[in-house]
Amino acid sequence: MKHINAEDIREMDKIFRLNLINSCTGYKSANLIATKSNSGAANVAVFSSVTHMGSNPPLLGFITRPRDVARNTYNNIKENSFFTVNHIQENMIESAHQTAAKYEEEISEFQKTGLEEEYLDEFFAPYVKQSAVKLGCKYLNEYAIKENGTTLIIGAIEHVYFDESIQAPDGWLRLDDASTVAVNGLDGYALPTLLDRFHYARPGQEIKSFFKKED
């Protein structure tokens, strides 16, 4: 097994290091975060850092990069507090990836990528029409990550949209039925295949599958 230590990492070419460290931590969620400025300019960008922060209250978080250049997503959220998180499906990976391009501030990624704005239930920020799972969120707080200048944004989940056919009776969403993709590194998109689902693990009890019948 190949071994790389901290000194090796420091001496790596920038792009090589970026690719290695972004992929070695495993698959990440693939989402489009959409916002709108108070002047009405819509913005959408791909993020691989969205993560569950708690279910009661329902919270999520994501990381924004250092603000040494314009960050439309962050600026719009700070203006009015609203944003949406939209799953990336198999049939939209090229359009979703293109949102990472550095367009001028006045240019909407919706216009350049073929992704469509959708407004639901009078929510201020746009959703991505093509997404099969969409979350409407409101900014709650932020935490500066001093070690690298990034910011952790915390949002409250106020709206959830999905096709009822992907939901199990206990509330769980089967995301492979929605063709939701994951990200490997920064630019590799994968379609996960569900292997199994298990009941809650308890000490001294046998692990039980939701899907496999007992003998």
Side-chain angles (χ1 to χ4, degrees):
M1 179 177 288
K2 185 171 184 176
H3 171 225
I4 296 172
N5 61 32
E7 183 178 355
D8 296 330
I9 294 172
R10 286 192 296 270
E11 294 178 353
M12 285 177 182
D13 170 77
K14 176 183 177 181
I15 300 301
F16 189 94
R17 180 176 62 246
L18 181 152
N19 286 330
L20 172 64
I21 301 304
N22 270 284
S23 60
C24 74
T25 52
Y27 286 107
K28 301 183 286 290
S29 64
N31 291 285
L32 291 163
I33 294 182
T35 61
K36 188 171 68 172
S37 69
N38 287 345
S39 63
N43 166 262
V44 62
V46 61
F47 280 77
S48 61
S49 61
V50 176
T51 187
H52 165 82
M53 302 294 289
S55 58
N56 188 23
L59 304 176
L60 58 74
F62 68 94
I63 298 292
T64 62
R65 294 178 182 176
R67 294 189 297 280
D68 49 359
V69 298
R71 300 294 180 196
N72 296 335
T73 297
Y74 177 84
N75 292 340
N76 290 346
I77 291 173
K78 292 295 286 184
E79 270 191 15
N80 53 62
S81 298
F82 298 104
F83 63 98
T84 68
V85 175
N86 306 267
H87 285 207
I88 298 173
Q89 267 61 57
E90 181 182 12
N91 61 358
M92 52 190 285
I93 58 176
E94 291 184 6
S95 296
H97 188 71
Q98 185 60 29
T99 65
K102 292 180 173 62
Y103 293 106
E104 296 297 326
E105 187 172 353
E106 66 275 9
I107 296 176
S108 170
E109 292 84 357
F110 281 108
Q111 299 171 359
K112 294 296 182 179
T113 62
L115 297 170
E116 297 180 63
E117 296 176 57
E118 182 179 37
Y119 292 88
L120 301 171
D121 297 304
E122 300 182 351
F123 196 70
F124 183 81
Y127 295 89
V128 177
K129 187 174 183 178
Q130 292 95 325
S131 293
V133 180
K134 320 171 205 280
L135 313 176
C137 303
K138 185 175 182 178
Y139 169 92
L140 291 181
N141 209 342
E142 65 183 70
Y143 298 90
I145 310 299
K146 295 184 295 184
E147 287 76 10
N148 63 0
T150 59
T151 302
L152 171 63
I153 303 295
I154 306 296
I157 301 172
E158 297 192 336
H159 303 273
V160 183
Y161 299 91
F162 56 88
D163 191 311
E164 286 188 60
S165 66
I166 72 169
Q167 188 173 38
D170 65 354
W172 177 77
L173 300 183
R174 182 160 181 163
L175 299 182
D176 58 333
D177 283 350
S179 295
T180 291
V181 302
V183 172
N184 180 4
L186 292 175
D187 49 19
Y189 295 84
L191 188 63
T193 299
L194 187 67
L195 301 178
D196 209 336
R197 185 185 178 211
F198 299 105
H199 288 269
Y200 190 82
R202 299 182 187 278
Q205 291 188 11
E206 184 180 352
I207 293 293
K208 293 184 179 181
S209 168
F210 275 90
F211 303 138
K212 295 176 182 176
K213 295 181 179 180
E214 296 184 18
D215 297 332

